[in-house]
Amino acid sequence: MSSNFIEKPRYQCALGGALVTINAINRAVAIVHSAPGCASAADGAAKSGSGYWGTSYCNGRATPSTNILEKEVIFGGESRLAEQIDSTLAIIDADLYAVITGCMTDIIGDDVQSIAGRFQAEGKPLVVAETGGFKGNSASGYDLILAALIDQVVEKGLAKVANQINLLGVIPTQDVFWRGNLLELKRILEDLGLQVNTFFSPFDKLSSLKTSSQAALNVVLSDVHGLGAAQAFEEIHGIPFVNIPLPIGPTATQAFLAELARHIAIEPSVLAAVVQRETEWYYAYVEHVAELYNDLDLQRFAIVVGDANYSYALTRFIADDFGWIPYLVAVTDILDDTGKAKVTARFNSLPVELRPKLIFETDTSRIATSLQEELAKEPDEYGSPISPAFVLGSTWDRPLAHEFKAGFLSVTYPVSNRVVTDQAYAGYRGGLRLATDILSTLISNR
């Protein structure tokens, strides 16, 4: 297969990432300066690919867009953008308006900063970011728009609050369970006495973003995503950051909290009490399904397919807490050598006997080919060396599971065969939810 295209991509372009990030902020409205179809396509991909998360305030098919045509490509689209901003401000009641751009308008060189500046000079709550799709994927768009918000919206010069943190690196819709994950982590961290800004839950207000410069620490729940936003916070507002992977289940979450305590003051007795309480809560339920797990012999070889955040988080959970053997992990992000090295180092922190074969592959069909190549190196006279197997991936990976007669659960973007509302896989309660979903899938045909 040609390497000049990606079959079934597992992310959007930079514009798509910026659009869904704005859409996840309450009472924020995007104004898309691009060719017709860009906003609609990005919105459709976000909705259907992230568990049908639905429409929030004035987005979806109602997203304001300049829809530039040949005329604007030839003569420039700045007057059309000014017209669209003016009409959007007149018609739509919002607390924040964000001008984001597509490939065509970035290519023709429209001065969107200057156009937006006219309205900003009038005191309009307008932010602008150049997010042409060719600048990267969803993660790039998330960083670009957040960097703009951090520079143009977040208040400067506020005094730091010693126990306040910002959570970064969880990209709306790219992490299908972002709302539940953020709320679950916030719940645990607030029990430790911290003030937590998540920005993108259904209950967050724009005011928390505006005053987020008060935070003493930014916690980036990724090794490779959200770094642009964290660096902007550090450069503009003097907030240091730390990378701690997205935790799923009791083992990873306890390690996450212990690592966080090395960077911000948490009372040791409170930390110990919260860990004990949450661990006991988790195992109070797990012990009752242990008999099911053992009697039906539900241990499996695992194949994990997902972005850098989920590939490690899922692998650690199934190895540390679920008793499965991770065989192969495919990281689907487009990463440079530095990013790949960071992800590889994270996997190398796992015990040698539990380290899966790690590949970096964005193309769906090549993931299956890579798995077949690995299996060919381990011939088994009794059948497949990874039987029985289970695939944790996206909806795109259902044929892969079928090919290897494996169980399957869609957990990474895109997920179009499930409806996601408040579900979470992060933390203690998220880990229990994931264990429940896996076990339910395994016994669903009984």
Side-chain angles (χ1 to χ4, degrees), residues 365-444:
S365 64
R366 287 198 288 264
I367 292 171
T369 300
S370 296
L371 177 57
Q372 291 168 338
E373 291 173 351
E374 290 296 334
L375 293 175
K377 300 174 185 176
E378 301 180 40
D380 189 330
E381 59 182 315
Y382 299 105
S384 171
I386 60 166
S387 180
F390 196 96
V391 175
L392 291 161
S394 83
T395 303
W396 296 143
D397 301 305
R398 188 159 43 184
L400 173 67
H402 180 75
E403 179 180 350
F404 289 93
K405 298 181 175 61
F408 169 72
L409 181 65
S410 55
V411 295
T412 60
Y413 184 89
V415 171
S416 59
N417 65 332
R418 302 174 61 184
V419 174
V420 177
T421 54
D422 68 337
Q423 297 99 307
Y425 284 153
Y428 292 91
R429 299 188 182 185
L432 181 65
R433 180 60 180 259
L434 179 56
T436 304
D437 286 349
I438 292 173
L439 293 172
S440 296
T441 300
L442 287 171
I443 66 169
S444 61

Side-chain angles (χ1 to χ4, degrees), residues 178-232:
W178 89 94
R179 293 169 294 181
N181 285 344
L182 289 173
L183 287 173
E184 170 61 6
L185 292 176
K186 182 174 184 176
R187 179 190 69 82
I188 299 169
L189 295 172
E190 287 184 341
D191 284 351
L192 294 174
L194 299 177
Q195 297 180 27
V196 184
N197 292 321
T198 58
F199 308 130
F200 304 114
S201 85
F203 311 105
D204 284 317
K205 306 299 183 184
L206 183 62
S207 57
S208 70
L209 176 63
K210 290 181 177 179
T211 60
S212 60
S213 56
Q214 294 177 316
L217 181 70
N218 283 317
V219 180
V220 185
L221 298 164
S222 174
D223 288 312
V224 293
H225 301 320
L227 297 180
Q231 289 164 357

Side-chain angles (χ1 to χ4, degrees), residues 10-270:
R10 298 164 189 260
Y11 38 75
Q12 294 202 59
C13 66
L15 170 62
L19 178 62
V20 296
T21 301
I22 288 297
N23 288 346
I25 300 174
N26 281 314
R27 290 187 54 79
V29 170
I31 302 172
V32 181
H33 186 36
S34 70
C38 287
S40 176
D43 174 74
K47 282 191 175 62
S48 61
S50 57
Y52 304 94
W53 80 288
T55 300
S56 57
Y57 184 68
C58 200
N59 62 28
R61 298 300 186 268
T63 301
S65 177
T66 56
N67 293 330
I68 66 165
L69 299 172
E70 288 88 347
K71 173 185 174 182
E72 287 79 21
V73 172
I74 295 172
F75 298 106
E78 293 175 5
S79 61
R80 176 70 192 96
L81 174 59
E83 178 186 43
Q84 185 61 57
I85 295 174
D86 190 53
S87 62
T88 301
L89 291 170
I91 294 170
I92 299 174
D93 176 31
D95 295 332
L96 177 69
Y97 304 85
V99 176
I100 55 178
T101 59
C103 295
M104 190 60 67
T105 52
D106 277 7
I107 290 172
I108 64 177
D110 281 348
D111 189 355
V112 294
Q113 297 281 354
S114 175
I115 300 300
R118 301 177 198 171
F119 295 91
Q120 291 170 330
E122 298 173 2
K124 305 299 183 184
L126 193 71
V127 63
V128 59
E130 296 183 8
T131 56
F134 56 79
K135 293 183 177 180
N137 59 13
S138 304
S140 302
Y142 169 88
D143 272 338
L144 287 168
I145 189 61
L146 266 187
L149 291 168
I150 291 162
D151 181 37
Q152 302 171 44
V153 174
V154 175
E155 297 176 14
K156 299 178 174 67
L158 299 182
K160 294 290 185 282
V161 177
N163 67 334
Q164 186 174 130
I165 65 172
N166 302 321
L167 295 184
L168 302 173
V170 174
I171 304 170
T173 76
Q174 183 67 37
D175 179 340
V176 179
F177 304 92
W178 89 94
R179 293 169 294 181
N181 285 344
L182 289 173
L183 287 173
E184 170 61 6
L185 292 176
K186 182 174 184 176
R187 179 190 69 82
I188 299 169
L189 295 172
E190 287 184 341
D191 284 351
L192 294 174
L194 299 177
Q195 297 180 27
V196 184
N197 292 321
T198 58
F199 308 130
F200 304 114
S201 85
F203 311 105
D204 284 317
K205 306 299 183 184
L206 183 62
S207 57
S208 70
L209 176 63
K210 290 181 177 179
T211 60
S212 60
S213 56
Q214 294 177 316
L217 181 70
N218 283 317
V219 180
V220 185
L221 298 164
S222 174
D223 288 312
V224 293
H225 301 320
L227 297 180
Q231 289 164 357
F233 261 124
E234 187 169 52
E235 293 169 3
I236 298 171
H237 301 287
I239 305 174
F241 68 91
V242 59
N243 297 89
I244 313 177
L246 179 73
I248 297 177
T251 302
T253 306
Q254 182 176 351
F256 168 82
L257 298 177
E259 177 64 21
L260 180 59
R262 284 191 268 274
H263 299 274
I264 196 165
I266 298 173
E267 177 61 42
S269 62
V270 174

Side-chain angles (χ1 to χ4, degrees), residues 338-355:
T338 299
K340 290 179 180 179
K342 290 179 180 178
V343 173
T344 301
R346 186 66 69 181
F347 274 91
N348 286 342
S349 67
L350 295 171
V352 174
E353 62 274 14
L354 293 177
R355 284 181 204 164

